[in-house]
Amino acid sequence: MEGQLDRIRRDSLKNKVVSAEEAASWIEDGMTLGLSGFTRAGDAKAIPEALVKRAETETFKVNVFTGASLGHDIDKLFTEAGIVDKRLPFQADPTMRKGINNGELLFVDHHLSNTSELVRGGVLPQIDIAVIEAVAIAEDGSIIPSTSIGNSLIYAEHAKAIIVEINVAHSEEWEGVHDIYDPGVLGDREPIPLKHPDERIGTYGIPIDPEKIAGIVLTEEYDSFSTIDQPDDETEVMAEHLLQFLRSEIKAGRLTNELAPLQSGIGSQANAVLHGMINSEFENLELYSEVLQDSVFELIDAGKVKSASCTSITVTEERMNKLRNNLSFYKEKIVMRPQEISNHPEVIRRLGTISINTALEFDIYGNVNSTHVTGTKMMNGIGGSGDFARNARLAIFVTKSLAKKGAISSCVPFVSHVDHTEHDVDIIVTEQGYADLRGLAPKERVPLIINQCAHPSFRDELWAYYEEAALRGGHTPHILEKALSWHIRLSETGTMRESKEGVTHQ
């Protein structure tokens, strides 16, 4: 205990140490909690687990606001315990997903750069208690975050009270990675003074009034590890298609071999596509992203990366072990920011990022659905993909052309839910090829998307739909009574195909 107390460098706070159970007892029915955590990293752990335990004998519900998804099955346990009234802004747990779609809890899906603005503007309920994971508390009371920042700054600033979880499993060497910056209130703020991904514009810790710290809980528990799939044959082909596109941009004089700051969304496919750059000719790469996944550290190891800016680090167990053992080396490359800065449209546009995100489905005109299966069932949430897609130099969406062993085409006549309109989608990449949609009218996009991105087994049906729609005319031809017929067929028969020919059953 004595060594752990050294993490609390402000002596007046050392008497605030309590158990997780005592801290959890302060949380009352109807409260709104602001929890640290972004994609399974830097998440509050002990107090959420204590709340779940409390729910075995008490009935209560709270609003749960985070940066993004949580680790340690917290969202699963919260759902099973029935203690969540409203959750935002992102989740990625199958049990919570089912609960959301069954109406057991409310979910607010919004762009990850917007949460801070909604809290700051008083649109959302005030945060009653912020629970922030940290590696230490500095002499001035500043909270030194761990492996993510997410929305921790805004929650700590606006909460009535703060509980700090000091996680001694994380090395104090994480101090110095963070760059905490608050842009100020809308209508009365200066331009964000960030011109390059590796610049620092803020402080190492979250500055707060130490009197707001109601309690400190000492923990020792590592983050949950990433569960992404490793690259496969199809994602390697997708990566090569993306590289060919980037080479064409260099040939046209729009990029150099150093490219432009890269952003890669969370997930196996986006990670795998970035992984494809390891053996490429590209060098001195800069990243300005939300999450740093395994592929970024593989690129650093390969000597390809100049700097990497993020709000979270989420990697596999093997990669995290290497990161912990070589943190001083990787720290020189990494800057970690609040998510409203990592995802801020102003900065994304200024830096001219190349954005790579994953689509659930796309249609023949370039609209993308990132969130809803068959238009109604929430998957995870839009995350930061919209923050980047609308503002990036190049908005690239990647996905495999088939899903569910060939029963589902990722390319459809009309997406069942629109997250990214055709106006915000520049490039679509599948294992079939890529379509550059910039500067093209809707009718010009159709042949590129069908012939170069759709799976061959669905192309004839896509062409048949478009040709019939074109007979009716219009700027963006559709057959309204058939536009979602593929999704209806999927719901009724389990496949988008008119027959089950071509569906595999391995």
Side-chain angles (χ1 to χ4, degrees):
M1 172 71 80
E2 188 62 36
Q4 295 177 348
L5 287 176
D6 291 343
R7 300 281 189 114
I8 305 171
R9 302 179 201 146
R10 188 179 180 91
D11 289 339
S12 63
L13 293 176
K14 290 186 177 181
N15 62 359
K16 296 284 185 79
V17 174
V18 297
S19 68
E21 291 72 23
E22 181 177 349
S25 71
W26 305 336
I27 296 170
E28 300 174 0
D29 181 50
M31 278 189 169
T32 294
L33 308 181
L35 305 183
S36 68
F38 194 107
T39 57
R40 302 166 65 87
D43 48 322
K45 302 171 177 67
I47 291 171
E49 289 167 358
L51 278 177
V52 171
K53 186 70 176 176
R54 235 183 86 191
E56 294 176 2
T57 57
E58 297 181 43
T59 299
F60 61 92
K61 284 187 180 292
V62 293
N63 297 325
V64 177
F65 299 175
T66 64
S69 56
L70 299 174
H72 295 83
D73 291 328
I74 294 300
D75 277 331
K76 173 180 184 291
L77 296 172
F78 274 4
T79 304
E80 292 174 342
I83 63 176
V84 179
D85 182 29
K86 182 178 289 186
R87 177 77 168 86
L88 64 81
F90 188 88
Q91 56 75 44
D93 179 77
T95 300
M96 178 166 278
R97 182 184 307 142
K98 184 177 180 181
I100 291 167
N101 290 319
N102 288 342
E104 297 168 19
L105 66 146
L106 299 172
F107 178 62
V108 181
D109 180 30
H110 59 233
H111 301 298
L112 294 187
S113 68
N114 285 355
T115 312
S116 290
E117 301 288 23
L118 295 173
V119 172
R120 188 180 288 117
V123 176
L124 296 174
Q126 183 177 4
I127 307 296
D128 291 293
I129 297 179
V131 185
I132 310 297
E133 182 178 87
V135 298
I137 298 176
E139 290 81 354
D140 65 357
S142 294
I143 299 169
I144 310 300
S146 59
T147 48
S148 73
I149 299 179
N151 281 320
S152 293
L153 170 63
I154 197 72
Y155 294 157
E157 284 181 334
H158 289 263
K160 297 175 184 175
I162 301 168
I163 301 171
V164 181
E165 289 192 5
I166 295 182
N167 190 344
V168 299
H170 295 302
S171 168
E172 288 182 271
E173 199 172 0
W174 281 103
E175 186 170 356
V177 168
H178 314 93
D179 185 47
I180 311 295
Y181 179 84
D182 185 333
V185 298
L186 286 170
D188 186 23
R189 60 173 55 158
E190 297 294 322
I192 298 172
L194 188 60
K195 296 182 181 179
H196 304 284
D198 60 351
E199 285 184 323
R200 292 183 173 275
I201 58 175
T203 59
Y204 285 159
I206 297 172
I208 55 145
D209 177 358
E211 294 301 314
K212 286 181 66 174
I213 296 180
I216 299 169
V217 176
L218 299 174
T219 70
E220 188 171 4
E221 190 171 8
Y222 288 128
D223 289 340
S224 295
F225 300 113
S226 171
T227 57
I228 61 170
D229 296 326
Q230 294 304 303
D232 58 26
D233 291 344
E234 288 185 326
T235 56
E236 288 180 2
V237 172
M238 289 164 60
E240 185 55 36
H241 290 316
L242 176 58
L243 295 181
Q244 290 299 332
F245 164 71
L246 294 174
R247 289 173 183 131
S248 73
E249 290 294 285
I250 293 170
K251 186 176 181 180
R254 291 186 285 267
L255 290 172
T256 69
N257 274 5
E258 295 183 354
L259 299 178
L262 295 166
Q263 176 262 335
S264 177
I266 190 71
S268 301
Q269 294 187 39
N271 179 72
V273 169
L274 204 59
H275 173 87
M277 293 187 175
I278 291 173
N279 296 317
S280 73
E281 68 274 26
F282 304 119
E283 57 189 5
N284 292 322
L285 300 176
E286 294 182 299
L287 288 100
Y288 192 82
S289 195
E290 302 165 300
V291 184
L292 302 187
Q293 299 187 96
D294 281 33
S295 58
V296 173
F297 292 96
E298 291 162 0
L299 286 166
I300 292 175
D301 291 345
K304 296 281 188 178
V305 172
K306 177 182 176 183
S307 66
S309 172
C310 65
T311 193
S312 171
I313 295 174
T314 304
V315 293
T316 58
E317 183 174 9
E318 179 182 2
R319 175 53 59 179
M320 180 52 78
N321 289 336
K322 186 171 183 179
L323 176 58
R324 289 192 194 107
N325 293 330
N326 299 275
L327 188 51
S328 60
F329 167 73
Y330 291 109
K331 269 181 70 171
E332 295 181 1
K333 302 283 188 181
I334 299 170
V335 182
M336 191 180 294
R337 313 180 190 280
Q339 70 191 66
E340 74 168 320
I341 303 301
S342 70
N343 290 39
H344 203 290
E346 174 191 339
V347 180
I348 293 166
R349 180 65 62 89
R350 180 183 298 129
L351 296 180
T353 62
I354 298 173
S355 167
I356 306 167
N357 287 288
T358 305
L360 279 179
E361 63 179 1
F362 57 94
D363 65 31
I364 59 175
Y365 297 112
N367 299 293
V368 166
N369 171 16
S370 295
T371 60
H372 284 72
V373 177
T374 60
T376 60
K377 297 177 182 177
M378 170 58 65
M379 192 68 176
N380 300 328
I382 195 169
S385 56
D387 294 324
F388 284 89
R390 173 149 297 186
N391 301 287
R393 171 198 306 251
L394 291 169
I396 302 168
F397 284 89
V398 300
T399 187
K400 294 182 179 181
S401 65
L402 294 177
K404 297 296 182 185
K405 299 180 179 179
I408 296 175
S409 172
S410 298
C411 182
V412 293
F414 189 37
V415 289
S416 56
H417 177 89
V418 182
D419 288 298
H420 311 285
T421 73
E422 59 183 287
H423 314 290
D424 298 331
V425 179
D426 295 324
I427 317 294
I428 294 173
V429 182
T430 72
E431 83 286 355
Q432 299 299 317
Y434 73 84
D436 183 350
L437 309 180
R438 294 172 297 171
L440 300 182
K443 293 176 185 177
E444 294 178 295
R445 300 178 195 135
V446 174
L448 287 179
I449 292 173
I450 294 178
N451 293 338
Q452 295 175 205
C453 296
H455 193 272
S457 62
F458 279 99
R459 285 177 188 165
D460 288 347
E461 290 180 62
L462 289 166
W463 272 117
Y465 173 87
Y466 173 71
E467 288 167 355
E468 182 180 348
L471 294 174
R472 300 190 180 189
H475 177 65
T476 307
H478 270 301
I479 312 166
L480 295 183
E481 64 272 24
K482 293 183 179 181
L484 297 177
S485 61
W486 289 30
H487 301 88
I488 295 170
R489 189 185 306 147
L490 174 64
S491 298
E492 293 177 345
T493 69
T495 177
M496 286 184 174
R497 298 179 184 276
E498 290 186 317
S499 70
K500 291 196 175 182
E501 182 181 353
V503 180
T504 60
H505 301 281
Q506 290 94 333

